[in-house]
Amino acid sequence: MVRIDIIITNSGEVPIYQQIADQIKAAILRGELGADQSLPSIRVLAKELQISVITTKRAYEELEKEGMIYTLPGKGSFVAEHDEGGLEESKRRVVEEKLREALAAAENMGLTKSELNKIFKSVLEGD
């Protein structure tokens, strides 16, 4: 079983189960977790993070729905195998989703496309 460093926050808008799923997914997409590597059991992860078993179970269910992991009854949960093209597609989808969220936030705040473009360039250039 591989050790995964997961940091959760109770003060954000993102539900805890989603924070867990996002961090495991990111580790898979970065190649830190390889195909067929076992993940911590739902109970072990819940204990380590001091959260409900139900919360960790939901995170694993989300990852399974996305095809990132698979579960073998009585054996545990494991990283699913992905071809290189599939990983690149998953990375692109994650970034697109985050950009859409940022765009929606900008629109809610009344920012123009020009203002948003300036912010994006600034962030991209590291200013």
Side-chain angles (χ1 to χ4, degrees):
M1 176 180 62
V2 68
R3 171 117 172 94
I4 305 170
D5 290 322
I6 296 175
I7 300 168
I8 57 172
T9 178
N10 294 318
S11 60
E13 292 181 20
V14 180
I16 292 173
Y17 80 89
Q18 191 64 56
Q19 293 176 49
I20 295 166
D22 288 349
Q23 290 179 54
I24 292 173
K25 185 176 183 178
I28 293 168
L29 294 175
R30 286 191 306 267
E32 295 171 9
L33 298 174
D36 300 320
Q37 274 190 296
S38 66
L39 298 173
S41 75
I42 290 170
R43 292 188 197 294
V44 167
L45 187 59
K47 186 176 180 184
E48 284 179 8
L49 297 176
Q50 298 179 342
I51 58 172
S52 163
V53 170
I54 295 167
T55 302
T56 54
K57 184 176 184 337
R58 183 156 181 202
Y60 278 28
E61 286 171 348
E62 291 294 316
L63 290 165
E64 201 160 2
K65 274 191 236 176
E66 293 179 32
M68 299 304 290
I69 68 171
Y70 64 95
T71 301
L72 297 175
K75 300 238 187 240
S77 297
F78 303 86
V79 177
E81 188 164 341
H82 299 91
D83 62 20
E84 196 61 35
L87 282 177
E88 290 305 315
E89 176 65 22
S90 293
K91 289 178 188 179
R92 189 180 64 73
R93 278 195 313 258
V94 168
V95 172
E96 282 179 1
E97 178 183 323
K98 298 298 180 190
L99 287 172
R100 280 188 179 80
E101 289 172 12
L103 182 58
E107 287 174 356
N108 286 338
M109 292 182 219
L111 294 175
T112 66
K113 286 184 180 183
S114 176
E115 291 169 319
L116 185 59
N117 196 22
K118 286 179 189 175
I119 294 169
F120 181 74
K121 283 182 181 179
S122 175
V123 170
L124 192 60
E125 294 169 3
D127 295 340

